[in-house]
Amino acid sequence: MNAHPYSPAFVAGGFGFVSGALSVDESGTAVPGRSEALVAAAARLSERLETVGMSLADVIKTTYFVTDVTLRDEANTHYELLFESPRPARSFVEVAALPYGATVEIEAIAHRRK
């Protein structure tokens, strides 16, 4: 049973819409550290994509929500490792807080390639 009233990911018209993936570990505990938080959020994003038969290779747009905008340089470096060129479009937004004490949340739009 899902603890939330929404789908982790949803497919429509060949597109996958992925709900925000937080920088938490597998048990839902916030991951400390800047780079570690980015890695954790990306891992949760990947898991959500898998629920609809997609992967990071299918991502065409991401939105990063962070509690500290100075994380941008580290996020850029991580993005280069996470995605091959040409990389997906991305928005990067600072927010006051995220659920469960997380510091990073990544949502994505993916497209199933034929």
Side-chain angles (χ1 to χ4, degrees), residues 38-113:
L38 290 164
V39 169
R44 303 294 78 79
L45 177 65
S46 184
E47 292 167 358
R48 288 176 176 229
L49 284 160
E50 288 173 7
T51 69
V52 291
M54 292 183 165
S55 71
L56 291 173
D58 298 309
V59 173
I60 58 173
K61 169 73 168 77
T62 63
T63 302
Y64 278 53
F65 301 96
V66 298
T67 58
D68 182 353
V69 77
T70 68
L71 189 60
R72 186 173 174 268
D73 288 341
E74 286 150 287
N76 286 344
T77 299
H78 183 252
Y79 214 67
E80 290 175 332
L81 298 172
L82 198 60
F83 296 106
E84 293 184 17
S85 189
R87 292 176 185 85
R90 184 187 79 185
S91 298
F92 197 83
V93 181
E94 183 178 44
V95 297
L98 290 166
Y100 308 109
T103 56
V104 176
E105 181 174 12
I106 306 170
E107 69 177 23
I109 299 171
H111 186 261
R112 195 178 315 272
R113 292 172 171 78

